[in-house]
Amino acid sequence: MVVILGWKSSPIGRSSLLKSICNLSRKLIAESSIKLSDVNLIIHAGVYRRNFRTEPAFASHVQGELGLKCKALSQESEHCFSFDVSDGSCSPYVALNSAKHMMKIKSGGYALITIGDERPNSQSYWPYQPISCVMLVALEGDGAKLESTTFDSKSFETTAVISTIFDGIKSANVIGQYSPVELEITNQNETFIGDTNWLSGRHMHEFLTKYSQGLTKFHQINDNSGKSVTATWV
Amino acid sequence: MNQGLLHSKILSFASHIPDNFVSIDEFAAVGDLPGKLDLHRLTGIEGHRKSDAEEGSLELAIKAAEKSMTRADIKPEEIDLVINCAVSNLSGKLGLHISPSMATIIAKELGIEEAICFDISNACSGMMTSLMIADSMIKSGEISTALIVSGENITSLIDEAKSNNLWLKSKAIASMTVGDGSAAYLLGKSETPNQVIFSEPFTFAQYNKLCIGEASKKRAGPLMRTKASQLQQGVLDNLSEFLTRSMQHMGLDWTEINHVYSHPTSPKAVEKGAEIAVATMGPIMQLHNISHDIANTASTSHCMLLEKSLQAGKLKSGDSTLLISFGSGLAMLAMYFHLPEGIEQWL
């Protein structure tokens, strides 16, 4: 079971996503009982990156900016592994489940999960005010424990897929238009359900805030595409 | 269920290698490049494969996935995890797919209705990273069968590079070493242990600015900027320790591995790596350095080479195989596996 030992979030504001994530990560580690060098896995979950960057993984930029184990390999040296996951606004739970498996593979240690998005370019329509969220997770310890997740693609519609188009007038690759799926939502078990127009950082910020206040242990994220994920925490 | 009691194996793999071969003389002849650079002599690449005009990452991925499902005789309803790990995720019209995961669309096209679907992005190491997570999910009992798939529609990078003054933007030249293609692996349960083993995965983030892929600022589609020699040196500087440590971690005897495939940034780069491997580990039984006519196809590269070896009749059931992966970031990891039974009969 994956456990969130600590988390921090903040609106990205005028900062870059990388700066926002790294500032939060440094504060989170400083306030925790572990050292940065105890982290050996970074997974970033998000959809939008500056200038629609596709490689390398954003998580490798976080690792580099934090200066985490950026050294040559030897037979005894300790290293970090970094990669990105995405599935619309359901991405945070993909990251948490991936972290669970990677921490088993890497035999313990701690993982840093970073969640966030930023405006790809000024030419793209951007109605969002993204929130960055970072979580320090492990396979055991005190904190919110993710008991189960259920992903559902049954209502997914290809008309809701988001991709870039080239806008000849703006002379730029921009976010294309799409038709969001209107999901019929039935709330059960005091499940916290965020707005379908939120990006994933805000989903986790809002849920973890309510979880911390003891208001809910159930979380559902409904993506604009019709996909959803339901999580049970203990 | 306890991890360690369950085992996994590769049920099948498949690549779609586009028929359309484009010779390097058609897009990077000696006179085309700064300083009369001879890209063929420098890299060993003779050309690449180019997908059809309307064929994007999705269409390419589906071709490989369908072939892998036929080879393993797996039905859509048997698949409970789909991971897409393409770097490009480009449509035929050069639109970059953003959300939700491309894996979700691939699954829908294939009639896979109940699977968990998501994308992993780790540059050219995305395939190994995805296989590693799928392997752990099978060994933990969470799932039974996983489809890991990628379609790389990346030869538009060549056109983007050529639209620049390459004297001024030499970092675009490495874009000319790419090719289109797709890959799929089916991973399932096994009665026998150690059919699939992974190395420790590493990210050497000190090299994370040496290869950048993002949207072009002036035309449809992506661009790539690479400090190729520095990135290659990063790999070579760590390769000896990586191989020694990985063989120990995986409990393998290097000299008993039947087939070795390295990520082919270029045939010449693989040759340099092989020199280090032989000096460190000893002779390689069979190194399949055969990317000269398909070039670097990013996350699909190992599977593209496996497909070529298969077509050449080089692969036998049960043969041990090592895939060594490098990706910008810089990620390094390896996967060892046994070739599926009945591979000789695959179409």
Side-chain angles (χ1 to χ4, degrees), chain A residues 40 43 46-65 68-89 94 97-102 104-106 120-121 123 151 153-158 160-166 170-176 223 225 227, chain B residues 3 87-88 90 94-101 104-105 108-109 113-125 129 132-133 136-138 140 142 198-209 211-224 237-238 240-246 248-249 327-333:
Chain A
N40 60 19
I43 301 177
V47 170
Y48 297 102
R49 295 177 64 183
R50 177 78 49 95
N51 204 29
F52 302 105
R53 185 166 290 187
T54 53
E55 71 170 313
F58 182 83
S60 77
H61 288 308
V62 174
Q63 185 190 339
E65 190 70 17
L68 179 57
K69 299 171 184 173
C70 298
K71 58 188 175 187
L73 187 66
S74 73
Q75 294 310 296
E76 293 80 31
S77 54
E78 290 188 0
H79 290 269
C80 181
F81 188 55
S82 305
F83 63 94
D84 295 352
V85 298
S86 73
D87 189 24
S89 51
V94 175
N97 282 325
S98 298
K100 178 178 69 178
H101 289 285
M102 288 304 298
K104 286 178 189 168
I105 293 163
K106 288 182 72 68
N121 56 24
Q123 295 93 339
F151 293 88
S153 300
K154 287 189 188 73
S155 301
F156 166 67
E157 295 288 346
T158 50
V161 166
I162 307 173
S163 55
T164 65
I165 54 163
F166 187 73
K170 294 175 179 172
S171 191
N173 291 285
V174 299
I175 301 166
D223 187 68
S225 66
K227 293 197 72 173
Chain B
Q3 186 139 11
V87 184
S88 52
L90 273 183
L94 304 184
L96 171 67
H97 175 81
I98 297 174
S99 181
S101 60
T104 307
I105 309 172
K108 192 175 177 81
E109 292 286 326
E113 293 177 353
E114 300 291 335
I116 299 167
C117 303
F118 58 88
D119 290 355
I120 283 183
S121 174
N122 201 12
C124 297
S125 291
T129 308
M132 184 177 250
I133 289 172
S136 178
M137 289 176 78
I138 289 171
S140 70
E142 280 185 28
F198 288 90
S199 74
E200 298 166 276
F202 303 106
T203 300
F204 303 102
Q206 61 270 40
Y207 304 106
N208 68 8
K209 295 186 177 91
C211 181
I212 303 290
E214 59 187 19
S216 167
K217 292 186 176 67
K218 59 182 182 183
R219 53 187 289 147
L223 61 74
M224 187 172 76
D237 287 348
N238 289 286
S240 177
E241 295 285 353
F242 174 76
L243 293 174
T244 307
R245 188 162 161 166
S246 295
Q248 193 171 358
H249 178 82
S328 61
L330 163 72
M332 287 177 80
L333 67 161

Side-chain angles (χ1 to χ4, degrees), chain B residues 275-318:
Chain B
E275 286 173 18
I276 292 172
V278 170
T280 308
M281 308 302 299
I284 304 170
M285 207 180 289
Q286 287 184 77
L287 173 68
H288 297 267
N289 188 8
I290 48 174
S291 67
H292 56 280
D293 63 345
I294 55 172
N296 179 356
T297 57
S299 64
T300 71
S301 63
H302 297 94
C303 197
M304 293 278 283
L305 299 176
L306 281 164
E307 185 76 30
K308 284 191 68 183
S309 299
L310 178 74
Q311 290 173 4
K314 303 275 189 191
L315 305 182
K316 290 194 308 225
S317 299

Side-chain angles (χ1 to χ4, degrees), chain B residues 52-278:
Chain B
D52 295 340
E54 292 300 311
E55 219 168 32
S57 294
L58 173 66
E59 292 78 14
L60 288 166
I62 285 168
K63 283 185 175 175
E66 286 177 335
K67 199 195 270 191
S68 72
M69 290 164 68
T70 303
R71 285 175 174 175
D73 193 21
I74 290 285
K75 304 283 179 290
E77 56 270 24
E78 295 176 78
I79 295 171
D80 32 25
L81 172 69
V82 180
I83 305 178
N84 164 66
C85 55
V87 184
S88 52
N89 288 322
L90 273 183
S91 71
K93 292 178 178 168
L94 304 184
L96 171 67
H97 175 81
I98 297 174
S99 181
S101 60
M102 176 72 94
T104 307
I105 309 172
I106 292 170
K108 192 175 177 81
E109 292 286 326
L110 292 170
I112 300 169
E113 293 177 353
E114 300 291 335
I116 299 167
C117 303
F118 58 88
D119 290 355
I120 283 183
S121 174
N122 201 12
C124 297
S125 291
M127 185 64 83
M128 292 301 117
T129 308
S130 302
L131 283 161
M132 184 177 250
I133 289 172
D135 181 69
S136 178
M137 289 176 78
I138 289 171
K139 286 174 177 166
S140 70
E142 280 185 28
I143 60 159
S144 296
T145 308
L147 171 66
I148 315 301
V149 62
S150 169
E152 297 289 16
N153 174 31
I154 48 179
T155 47
S156 64
L157 289 170
I158 296 170
D159 300 326
E160 192 287 329
K162 292 196 74 174
S163 71
N164 294 282
N165 181 338
L166 293 171
W167 284 96
L168 300 175
K169 289 194 177 170
S170 59
K171 285 188 283 185
I173 292 173
S175 301
M176 299 194 179
T177 62
V178 302
D180 295 336
S182 60
Y185 295 82
L186 276 164
L187 199 63
K189 287 181 179 172
S190 170
E191 299 290 317
T192 316
N194 299 326
Q195 295 299 293
V196 181
I197 308 173
F198 288 90
S199 74
E200 298 166 276
F202 303 106
T203 300
F204 303 102
Q206 61 270 40
Y207 304 106
N208 68 8
K209 295 186 177 91
L210 299 180
C211 181
I212 303 290
E214 59 187 19
S216 167
K217 292 186 176 67
K218 59 182 182 183
R219 53 187 289 147
L223 61 74
M224 187 172 76
R225 297 291 180 262
T226 311
K227 293 182 179 175
S229 57
Q230 288 180 46
L231 190 58
Q232 180 177 296
Q233 199 56 49
V235 172
L236 297 177
D237 287 348
N238 289 286
L239 186 58
S240 177
E241 295 285 353
F242 174 76
L243 293 174
T244 307
R245 188 162 161 166
S246 295
M247 289 302 105
Q248 193 171 358
H249 178 82
M250 293 193 278
L252 301 176
D253 181 343
W254 173 263
T255 59
E256 291 182 0
I257 298 170
N258 298 121
H259 308 279
V260 174
Y261 296 85
S262 173
H263 175 62
T265 45
S266 74
K268 287 287 172 72
V270 174
E271 278 176 23
K272 286 181 184 172
E275 286 173 18
I276 292 172
V278 170

